[in-house]
Amino acid sequence: MTAPYLRMRQQGLEPVLADHFKRSQQDAPGLLDEAGLARVGLQRKGFAEAYGIQGEPNPLQRSVMEELRGAVGEGRRGGILLVTAAPGDGKSEAALEAERVLSEVFGTQGYAFLLPTMATSDQMHGRVAKALLRQSGEGAGLTLVHSMAWLNSAYADEDLAVQGVLTCDEVGEGSGRAEADMRPQRWLRGSKRPLLAQFAVGTIDQALMAVLPVRHNALRLLALSGKAFIVDEAHAYDPYMQVLLGRLLNWLGAYGVPVVLLSATLPASVSDRLVKEYLQGAGHKTRALSRRTFPAPYPGWLYVDGDSGRAAQISPARGQEQARARAMELDVVVEPVVHGSGGGARARLAVIERLLTPVGEEEGGTALVVCNTVGDAQETYLRLCERFDERSHEQGGSVQLLHARFPGDVREARTREVTEGLGRTGPRPLRWIVVATQVVEQSLDLDADIVISDLAPLVLLLQRAGRCWQHENHWARHGYPDGRGRPAWASGPHLVVLDPIAGGGKMPAQWGEVYSEHLLATTSHTLAGIEGGTISIPGDVQNLVEAVHGNNEDFDWNSPGGSEAKAWTAHRGKEMAERSMAGLLAVPRARSVLALHDLYDLPGEEDEW
């Protein structure tokens, strides 16, 4: 083909391409709007109005609203914020206020709010939807991102009147419409697309797939860029997921995405590792980072700038004010129990029945029984039904069962019933016992008069204890929702731990699939050593977390040791194996990738499922 001919073709093609480009520019806004990708500017409201909360923000929230802006300064390449506080201290609202500050500085639009479970994601989706509606965000795309989202009544096409449509009375004035549907456009609900929405709430695995060698992982990375990234319950992930989370933070640091991590019980070694992964992605040298540590105050917040690496934190006065505002003495009682048949008065179910006797009497009250396995929860529920309420399978029964193996629609309905019955606004039942698994540990807004729990690793016991008297300070100021107050037998926050190890017993074999024997044994020993059987919250929390979950080299690998040494060896070995597996599977760190091909050209083929 001769050069003159090529020039003639090019001259004829250029007007066509120019015309096509011009028409594409004209069509783009409409296509984006039709797909639900158009960005909506929120009309930011005051704290109480935005979140529908009575009263003023607590000291931690006020600090984020007033002090974080100065800590961020004139940031250019994002930063990472770690917020630590006891369960029920309003970390979610603090995170959304932080997002407001960070978006103004870094120009991000929207956020992805990721949580550990589908139950917590479903609840947070409803809270975020109402917050957006109160701030004129009806047109914003809000997606629910987890594998069973299509079963959620607030998200599916069916049953619009049930949960998907919120009235202005529910969200406050300002929308100017009789009702507002927060479901996203159908295009955004397609496979792999929900994270592209301006606002997304879902499970953390949906984001972690961005750093696994699965198809379209680059699309997930694209979806997370340009918005704030919020991770709730950052302590709740196993070593495998922690490595993947660190790798994702590395990429977000390279993108300059502002990150907010929330936790009630995060070991210092984990938070330090996550902050350094982010900074390494932002361009800081590994050698320089190895000489620094990033201790986070508890309760409080720590902000580290992605560009300069400068760290700032909550002012001491505000941190102390928050600690005083949420000060609580938690009574911890360890009950030695025997699992299985036999055991007499120490049989696990017999002990639970005895402990719940006050609830079954005239005064009533509310109790939360947290079990380590679904089988334990089902067995406990059936026994308590026989003892306290044979009608529990019917609507209005005084014993309720909640676990993650229910069909999605049933689990959603039961979770909603439990959160309403034990929530902040009530009305509270006169007599109610909720038997549940770990689904109630994280992010659910619950308040029970007493919490009874199977032995679990200490961080999880503290999470479960956070469901006890969570709203006491709020109700003391504004009145109890039922007007009755707490029953006389509930003299204070009370956690009862059913410990099969205490007294020389062994943990049930089926727990080995759930928790490390070493962590359970260490937790049992730590609880036995608590002076006076009382934990001061928040004062004692971080030290207890470090005692069980910190980097403690308690045993010598080369010594034969006894059963405890073997349990420690098995625990450390499993941790190392999980970290190594995650390191092998995860895509390379951001600054070592030269082409998109590097994101999926790894040995083996990993399926998203």
Side-chain angles (χ1 to χ4, degrees):
M1 194 175 293
T2 63
Y5 181 73
L6 286 174
R7 284 196 296 271
M8 290 175 58
R9 284 198 59 182
Q10 188 175 15
Q11 291 170 359
L13 194 59
E14 284 179 352
V16 176
L17 290 175
D19 183 60
H20 173 72
F21 182 65
K22 184 177 180 180
R23 283 187 288 107
S24 297
Q25 285 182 305
Q26 295 171 348
D27 293 342
L31 293 172
L32 288 173
D33 187 59
E34 187 178 317
L37 294 174
R39 292 327 194 207
V40 173
L42 299 181
Q43 296 181 13
R44 301 288 192 173
K45 306 291 184 181
F47 185 86
E49 186 179 357
Y51 307 116
I53 295 176
Q54 289 181 316
E56 297 297 318
N58 64 34
L60 173 65
Q61 294 161 342
R62 286 203 307 273
S63 174
V64 169
M65 295 164 65
E66 298 171 6
E67 299 178 341
L68 179 60
R69 182 63 184 83
V72 175
E74 302 301 321
R76 295 180 297 172
R77 293 168 55 189
I80 183 167
L81 173 71
L82 175 63
V83 181
T84 62
D89 274 13
K91 293 187 293 295
S92 300
E93 289 77 17
L96 295 179
E97 285 299 311
E99 182 275 329
R100 179 189 303 206
V101 173
L102 296 172
S103 67
E104 291 175 357
V105 176
F106 298 111
T108 53
Q109 295 181 311
Y111 52 82
F113 203 126
L114 289 311
L115 303 101
T117 66
M118 290 185 283
T120 55
S121 299
D122 287 344
Q123 190 193 46
M124 185 59 66
H125 176 266
R127 291 169 63 182
V128 168
K130 291 179 180 180
L132 292 176
L133 285 171
R134 293 186 186 102
Q135 299 174 90
S136 302
E138 304 93 300
L142 171 62
T143 53
L144 179 61
V145 195
H146 61 67
S147 59
M148 295 296 173
W150 60 280
L151 288 173
N152 185 286
S153 59
Y155 196 71
D157 287 330
E158 296 79 12
D159 301 326
L160 280 178
V162 178
Q163 284 283 309
V165 176
L166 302 174
T167 65
C168 286
D169 291 337
E170 292 178 281
V171 300
E173 298 299 326
S175 70
R177 296 168 54 184
E179 51 188 31
D181 180 9
M182 284 301 296
R183 295 173 310 138
Q185 299 289 350
R186 183 175 296 277
W187 186 88
L188 275 175
R189 283 179 281 170
S191 177
K192 305 177 181 64
R193 299 171 187 165
L195 282 174
L196 289 165
Q198 183 176 1
F199 301 96
V201 177
T203 51
I204 187 68
D205 62 297
Q206 300 295 321
L208 295 184
M209 279 190 281
V211 291
L212 285 172
V214 296
R215 295 181 64 195
H216 306 111
N217 53 6
L219 179 63
R220 293 179 190 271
L221 286 171
L222 172 66
L224 294 173
S225 64
K227 57 167 69 85
F229 183 73
I230 304 171
V231 179
D232 200 3
E233 312 294 358
H235 61 272
Y237 311 115
D238 59 29
Y240 176 85
M241 296 178 71
Q242 288 287 359
V243 171
L244 296 183
L245 177 58
R247 189 60 50 88
L248 179 57
L249 294 182
N250 183 273
W251 277 84
L252 297 181
Y255 286 166
V257 170
V259 169
V260 181
L261 302 179
L262 310 176
S263 179
T265 52
L266 190 64
S269 57
V270 176
S271 61
D272 187 68
R273 188 184 309 123
L274 295 178
V275 169
K276 288 178 177 177
E277 281 282 4
Y278 182 90
L279 292 178
Q280 189 176 347
H284 294 263
K285 300 299 183 182
T286 305
R287 179 175 297 180
L289 292 175
S290 66
R291 296 193 292 267
R292 300 183 62 186
T293 58
F294 297 93
Y298 187 94
W301 55 262
L302 171 75
Y303 177 79
V304 185
D305 180 62
D307 189 30
S308 65
R310 182 186 69 254
Q313 63 183 44
I314 187 173
S315 64
R318 279 279 167 78
Q320 293 166 7
E321 186 183 357
Q322 176 66 18
R324 289 194 300 269
R326 279 289 290 162
M328 181 174 74
E329 297 296 309
L330 174 69
D331 290 330
V332 180
V333 175
V334 176
E335 289 276 356
V337 295
V338 176
H339 280 250
S341 59
R346 289 180 56 185
R348 176 180 174 276
L349 294 179
V351 171
I352 293 175
E353 274 194 50
R354 170 170 58 81
L355 293 169
L356 292 177
T357 298
V359 180
E361 295 176 349
E362 184 175 344
E363 276 192 281
T366 58
L368 179 62
V369 183
V370 189
C371 307
N372 285 347
T373 68
V374 172
D376 288 338
Q378 292 170 328
E379 182 184 34
T380 304
Y381 168 74
L382 292 174
R383 178 71 170 265
L384 295 180
C385 285
E386 294 175 2
R387 174 68 173 80
F388 295 105
D389 187 1
E390 295 180 356
R391 303 177 298 104
S392 294
H393 63 284
E394 301 174 2
Q395 187 72 19
S398 61
V399 183
Q400 179 64 282
L401 176 65
L402 177 63
H403 58 71
R405 288 191 193 168
F406 283 116
D409 54 341
V410 177
R411 176 183 50 76
E412 180 195 349
R414 289 187 178 232
T415 302
R416 185 166 58 248
E417 184 179 353
V418 169
T419 53
E420 289 174 355
L422 297 180
R424 184 187 295 263
T425 57
R428 290 174 67 80
L430 173 64
R431 181 179 296 103
W432 212 29
I433 300 169
V434 176
V435 181
T437 56
Q438 295 89 337
V439 294
V440 297
E441 279 177 2
Q442 320 286 352
S443 301
L444 293 185
D445 193 23
L446 308 178
D447 181 299
D449 296 323
I450 184 174
V451 173
I452 301 170
S453 171
D454 282 332
L455 178 67
L458 190 71
V459 293
L460 303 182
L461 284 181
L462 292 172
Q463 286 289 139
R464 297 175 186 185
R467 314 303 115 178
C468 185
W469 286 50
Q470 182 172 150
H471 302 141
E472 182 63 19
N473 289 345
H474 173 81
W475 290 340
R477 294 193 303 270
H478 303 288
Y480 291 85
D482 52 18
R484 297 190 306 271
R486 299 196 188 273
W489 59 262
S491 57
H494 204 66
L495 170 68
V496 181
V497 181
L498 308 176
D499 186 354
I501 298 177
K506 295 182 178 180
M507 76 174 199
Q510 65 268 26
W511 287 11
E513 298 296 321
V514 185
Y515 299 127
S516 154
E517 182 181 353
H518 165 71
L519 287 181
L520 293 180
T522 307
T523 298
S524 179
H525 295 159
T526 302
L527 292 178
I530 293 176
E531 186 175 350
T534 301
I535 296 176
S536 294
I537 296 177
D540 293 341
V541 170
Q542 196 63 38
N543 288 336
L544 289 171
V545 169
E546 298 298 338
V548 177
H549 300 273
N551 281 339
N552 299 320
E553 299 298 324
D554 295 329
F555 298 100
D556 182 359
W557 283 90
N558 298 315
S559 64
S563 60
E564 290 187 3
K566 292 179 180 178
W568 181 85
T569 302
H571 169 71
R572 291 299 189 196
K574 186 172 184 292
E575 272 195 344
M576 292 172 62
E578 289 185 4
R579 292 187 184 281
S580 298
M581 180 61 71
L584 289 172
L585 287 176
V587 302
R589 287 184 170 83
R591 294 185 176 271
S592 63
V593 170
L594 300 177
L596 288 178
H597 179 70
D598 296 337
L599 295 183
Y600 63 86
D601 183 34
L602 295 174
E605 294 182 3
E606 296 303 317
D607 186 85
E608 286 192 2
W609 181 255

